[in-house]
Amino acid sequence: MAIASINPATGETLRTFPALDDAQIERALQFAMTAFATHRKTPFSERREKMHRAADILESEAETFARVMALEMGKPIRAGREEVRKCAVGCRYYADNAERFLIDEPIETEAIRSFVRIQPLGPVLAIMPWNFPFWQVVRFAAPALMAGNVGLLKHASNVPQCALALEDIFRRAGFREGVFQTLLIGSEKVESVLSDARVVAVTLTGSETAGLRVASVAGRLIKKTVLELGGSDPFIVMPSANVALAAATAAKARTVNSGQSCIAAKRFIIHEAIHDEFASLFVQAMSSLRMGDPLAEETDIGPLATTEILSDLEEQIRQTVAAGARVLLGGTRDPRRGNFYPPTILADVPENSPGYREELFGPVALLFRAADLESALTLANDVRFGLGASAWTNDETEAAIFMEELEAGLVFINAMVASDPRLPFGGIKQSGYGRELGPLGIREFVNFKTVSVGRAFHP
C-alpha cells in the first residue's frame, strides 16, 4: 500500500511512498536494538552536542520545513515557522538539562549508600499525529534520545515527507544510524510492531479510538505507555476579566492550527453579566481572520488536513444545529476548492448534541452562558475530556478556585493554553495519561533502579 502526500488546499497528490514490507520492518527493529546498545552508553556531553546540532538545523532550515507542513497538511506558513523554531527550543532545553534531570538521587537509609539510578529502557515506538507534525515528534524525540533511548516513529500517513525530514534532521545532527528511524507503515502494521519484544514502550498522540487500541495491546504485553488524546478545553471568562483581551485571545486560542489542536479552546463559558459583550467582540475577532492559501503570508486559517476531517466536522455541526444550536458566525462549508471550513460560532448548544459532548476539530467555537462561578465550573467539567483549561479573572479568590477545581492536566489563568518545553504536558480522564515535556517528560521512559550498598561491602 502506497502512502500518499496530498495537498489539502488543492487535492493534488504531491508524492507517494511505498510502505515498508515485513522484511524492512524487521531490519529497522534490529537496527534499533543495535543502535541502542551503543547510544545508551554515550556520554551526555556527546548527546548534548548532537541535540544542539539538531536545533541548529531546525532553525536554519525553518522555511523549508514550514513549506513542507503547509503543502502536506495545510498549516499556514507563519505558524509552520513558529512550530519549527519551537522544536529548536525544545531540543536545546533537553540538551542543556537532561543530565541534571537524570542524575543519581541519593536516599538516606541504614545502608552505606542508597540511591536511585535512572537508565534508558530501549526502543520506544512513537505514534504521532499530523496536526503538529514536527513539534509532536520533537517533544518525544528530544527527551527520549537525551535519556539514551532510541526512537521508532510511526507518523500519520498523510505527512510522510515531514516524517522523513525528521529522521534526516537527527541523522545530520550526528546521531548514529538507527537511533531515530521513521517507519513508513499503515495503521494495520502498528500492532505487530508494538508486539515485538524489542519495542519496550509506546507513546501515542491521537484519537481516543487509537489510544484504546494501543493501550490494550501494550497492557496485554505489560509495556509502558503514554497517551495524549483528545480535548474539549473550556475557556471561562468572569466579569472581573479584561473582556476585550479575553475575546481577542479566544479567537486565537480557538483557531490555532486552523482549529485542529487538542489543546485549542473549544467551549467558551462566559458569565452572563458579560456574555453579550464578549459574544459581540468574539464574533468580530473571528470574522477578521483570513482564510486561504497556507503558503500566503497573510493567511490565518488554512484548509483542514483531510477530506475525512472536513466531512466529520460538517456532520457534527449539522447535528448540533438541528438539535437547536444558533449559528452566530459561519456554519457552512466554504465553496472553494480544498478542505476549507470558515470560522464558526455556535450558541445555545444543547446537551444532547455533538457540539456539547464531542471534540470538534476545526475552527468552530461553542458559546455557553454561566450564571456564576459554580455553574461555570460545572459546565467546564461536564465532559469526558480533561486536557487543558483557560480561566480569565482578576479576582484572586476565583483564580484559586479555578486552579483547584478545574479537571484538567493544564490550567492557565488569563492566558491561552499552550505547550512549553519547560512545563509538563498531558491530561486526565479520556484525554490520556502520562506526561511529556519538562522534567517529568524525560522520566516517562526510564528505569528507576534502586541501588543499596550493604555494610558488608569492602571496596
Side-chain angles (χ1 to χ4, degrees), residues 247 277-288 328-329 345 367:
E277 177 188 3
F278 177 91
S280 177
L281 292 169
F282 191 30
V283 168
Q284 291 176 35
M286 291 281 278
S287 300
S288 69
L328 301 186
L329 179 70
I345 301 175
L367 194 59

Side-chain angles (χ1 to χ4, degrees), residues 143-439:
L145 269 56
M146 286 302 300
N149 294 307
V150 301
L152 293 162
L153 170 64
K154 191 289 179 206
H155 217 325
S157 294
N158 61 322
V159 289
Q161 294 186 79
C162 292
L164 292 170
L166 285 155
E167 180 183 74
D168 186 58
I169 288 167
F170 289 112
R171 182 188 300 115
R172 285 193 283 148
F175 288 99
R176 293 175 183 273
E177 295 286 339
V179 168
F180 185 89
Q181 298 178 81
T182 282
L183 304 180
L184 289 184
I185 58 175
S187 57
E188 74 282 356
K189 293 287 188 181
V190 168
E191 182 170 348
S192 64
V193 172
L194 177 54
S195 298
D196 192 285
R198 290 165 291 192
V199 174
V200 298
V202 60
T203 179
L204 177 141
T205 298
S207 68
E208 289 177 85
T209 302
L212 286 167
R213 287 199 300 264
V214 166
S216 65
V217 175
R220 186 174 72 245
L221 299 170
I222 317 179
K223 295 188 179 185
K224 177 67 184 290
T225 56
V226 169
L227 300 180
E228 197 267 279
L229 308 178
S232 189
D233 290 6
F235 187 106
I236 304 168
V237 186
M238 300 298 287
S240 64
N242 182 327
V243 179
L245 177 60
T249 306
K252 181 179 179 182
R254 183 62 198 98
T255 59
V256 61
N257 197 41
S258 304
Q260 302 167 112
S261 171
C262 52
I263 57 168
K266 298 181 177 76
R267 296 176 299 126
F268 297 84
I269 301 166
I270 315 302
H271 191 284
E272 61 183 9
I274 55 167
H275 177 276
D276 293 348
E277 177 188 3
F278 177 91
S280 177
L281 292 169
F282 191 30
V283 168
Q284 291 176 35
M286 291 281 278
S287 300
S288 69
L289 296 171
R290 293 158 295 189
M291 183 170 63
D293 181 0
L295 290 171
E297 291 292 333
E298 66 273 12
T299 295
D300 298 307
I301 297 177
L304 301 184
T306 68
T307 55
E308 292 79 11
I309 293 166
L310 176 61
S311 61
D312 287 349
L313 184 66
E314 284 188 290
E315 181 60 20
Q316 288 173 310
I317 292 170
R318 186 195 68 75
Q319 292 183 23
T320 301
V321 172
R326 289 189 300 118
V327 179
L328 301 186
L329 179 70
T332 57
R333 177 179 177 177
D334 191 273
R336 76 185 73 191
R337 183 182 182 189
N339 305 331
F340 290 93
Y341 201 93
T344 294
I345 301 175
L346 304 180
D348 301 330
V349 180
E351 285 190 39
N352 63 341
S353 68
Y356 192 100
R357 294 295 173 191
E358 299 174 8
E359 179 180 25
L360 272 59
F361 228 52
V364 180
L366 308 167
L367 194 59
F368 298 86
R369 187 188 300 265
D372 50 30
L373 183 146
E374 183 178 350
S375 62
L377 273 171
T378 299
L379 275 169
N381 293 333
D382 188 28
V383 288
R384 66 184 185 275
F385 301 106
L387 188 53
S390 175
W392 292 71
T393 177
N394 283 313
D395 183 302
E396 291 187 7
T397 300
E398 288 179 347
I401 293 172
F402 285 130
M403 293 175 199
E404 183 67 22
E405 299 298 331
L406 281 167
E407 297 171 358
L410 312 158
V411 174
F412 282 59
I413 304 297
N414 295 334
M416 63 180 276
V417 177
S419 60
D420 184 316
R422 299 165 294 184
L423 297 173
F425 181 95
I428 59 172
K429 298 161 70 171
Q430 295 301 109
S431 291
Y433 52 76
R435 291 296 179 265
E436 299 176 290
L437 303 177

